[in-house]
Amino acid sequence: PVSSPSLTFEERIKPTKMIGFRKPFSKLLIGSLKSLKKREVRLKSSFSGTNSGPLLRHDHPSHGITVLTLNRPQQRNALSLELLETLGAELDDIKVHQKELRTVVICANGPVFSSGHDLKQMLSPQHSNENSYSQLFKLCSQVMVKLQEIPQPVIAAVDGVATAAGCQLVATCDLAVASPESRFATPGVNIGLFCSTPAVALARVVNRKTAMDMLLTGRMVEASEAHRIGLISHIDEHPQQKAMQLAKDIAQRSSIAINIGKQAFYEQVGATTIQEAYECASDAMVKGMLTADAHEGISAFLSKRDPEWKQE
């Protein structure tokens, strides 16, 4: 889903009242409308050259959901330096507006979700040097880290092929929905460049032998296998619609609870020992119990009523 260019930012934000909110969502957005407008101006100025429109489209359909659409269809949505910079800046803004923007959906325009890095750009005279390569891979790694560091859950909606850094992007998202026809691969070995950075994300969502199989052979993985090995979380005929349903469902929960939980999840997964993992998780449980939403949620459950989240 992408925003119609004929609509203003204000017109695309319709008043929405959700269960558990103390005031309509539209009022929360109005409070930071000026800063969100700056983001729209920045994205509109980031054009892709041969494609019509910005490199990255964004929309706020309702319920505190932000939809980011990769928009380089003619380049198979390759992650160019400019697109990565724009995506990174957008994630920074989303992190700041965690009370208004509750979940993030990443999708793509065209039949390819993302083919990975922009190989033509990498071999161009301007970028074909060690400093440029270092800058590119460092920036890409920073964007992947941001996806898991922002408090909002990020859902990939894949309807096509995701390879190399595109597969890395899918593996990095908190959830991933794909159509039955979608396929995934880390095929760098086929062009003489092992997918070492995509391997970081891949090895953290599938078992090591499966990850190495994908990395060493560069073979395409069908959606059914991707689901079985844990690369994606859902298969659906309409991945964007399913991703939006998941995003709306998550957005109705306490954002502070989800923020604390997401951070703790990745911290404990990265712990070196099970003791450290439990210490991290226990600290998160204590932090969560001290929030107003935990008390409200428990009280509502015991009283058999709907909770009224305070988001604090």
Side-chain angles (χ1 to χ4, degrees):
V2 295
S3 303
S4 170
S6 63
L7 298 180
T8 66
F9 184 85
E10 292 88 345
E11 289 171 333
R12 285 190 278 111
I13 301 174
K14 297 180 180 180
T16 304
K17 188 171 183 179
M18 294 175 55
I19 296 175
F21 275 75
R22 289 185 297 176
K23 52 185 176 181
F25 174 68
S26 58
K27 291 185 178 179
L28 289 171
L29 279 175
I30 295 301
S32 58
L33 185 57
K34 182 180 294 186
S35 55
L36 289 174
K37 276 186 175 180
K38 291 180 180 178
R39 180 194 315 159
E40 183 170 74
V41 171
R42 185 190 67 242
L43 290 175
K44 283 185 176 180
S45 65
S46 301
F47 281 87
S48 54
T50 57
N51 295 290
S52 60
L55 295 171
L56 183 71
R57 296 183 179 179
H58 75 114
D59 191 18
H60 305 284
S62 63
H63 303 287
I65 301 170
T66 290
V67 179
L68 304 178
T69 304
L70 306 180
N71 190 39
R72 300 188 72 208
Q74 294 181 17
Q75 289 77 34
R76 299 169 64 86
N77 289 312
L79 300 178
S80 64
L81 189 64
E82 295 79 14
L83 177 53
L84 286 169
E85 288 174 342
T86 305
L87 179 56
E90 179 71 4
L91 293 173
D92 288 338
D93 284 343
I94 290 172
K95 182 178 182 179
V96 172
H97 298 95
Q98 58 184 281
K99 284 192 175 182
E100 306 96 311
L101 307 179
R102 309 287 297 284
T103 52
V104 181
V105 173
I106 298 180
C107 53
N109 181 16
V112 177
F113 179 79
S114 176
S115 59
H117 289 297
D118 190 330
L119 298 180
K120 289 184 178 179
Q121 183 183 65
M122 292 172 66
L123 292 183
S124 67
Q126 181 182 356
H127 296 95
S128 185
N129 58 77
E130 183 177 353
N131 287 336
S132 292
Y133 295 151
S134 178
Q135 179 187 6
L136 173 64
F137 293 119
K138 181 179 180 180
L139 175 61
C140 184
S141 298
Q142 290 173 342
V143 170
M144 300 300 164
V145 170
K146 286 180 181 181
L147 285 167
Q148 294 187 348
E149 283 188 341
I150 65 172
Q152 299 92 335
V154 182
I155 306 170
V158 184
D159 192 8
V161 176
T163 59
C167 183
Q168 178 185 3
L169 177 58
V170 175
T172 303
C173 290
D174 303 307
L175 298 175
V177 185
S179 64
E181 297 77 25
S182 294
R183 297 184 297 164
F184 307 84
T186 49
V189 67
N190 296 332
I191 60 171
L193 183 64
F194 197 85
C195 284
S196 296
T197 44
V200 174
L202 188 64
R204 281 162 171 75
V205 294
V206 306
N207 68 64
R208 292 186 180 185
K209 291 294 190 295
T210 301
M212 283 300 289
D213 174 57
M214 292 181 62
L215 293 161
L216 291 171
T217 66
R219 68 182 180 89
M220 279 288 184
V221 172
E222 303 291 333
S224 58
E225 182 181 357
H227 184 258
R228 178 174 57 80
I229 64 178
L231 178 56
I232 61 176
S233 53
H234 300 76
I235 297 178
D236 195 277
E237 291 286 350
H238 306 286
Q240 292 188 23
Q241 293 181 18
K242 178 63 176 179
M244 289 297 293
Q245 290 174 1
L246 289 168
K248 291 177 182 178
D249 186 39
I250 293 170
Q252 293 184 46
R253 272 61 180 179
S254 164
S255 62
I256 188 67
I258 289 175
N259 298 350
I260 294 172
K262 176 178 174 177
Q263 180 182 6
F265 176 82
Y266 288 112
E267 286 183 3
Q268 64 88 11
V269 167
T272 55
T273 68
I274 192 169
Q275 181 180 357
E276 291 179 358
Y278 272 118
E279 288 176 354
C280 170
S282 295
D283 290 343
M285 294 294 288
V286 172
K287 185 176 181 181
M289 275 302 303
L290 294 175
T291 64
D293 274 1
H295 285 258
E296 166 61 16
I298 294 172
S299 298
F301 175 77
L302 295 176
S303 302
K304 298 182 179 180
R305 60 175 176 82
D306 291 331
E308 296 184 5
W309 304 125
K310 299 177 175 58
Q311 313 304 336
E312 58 187 26

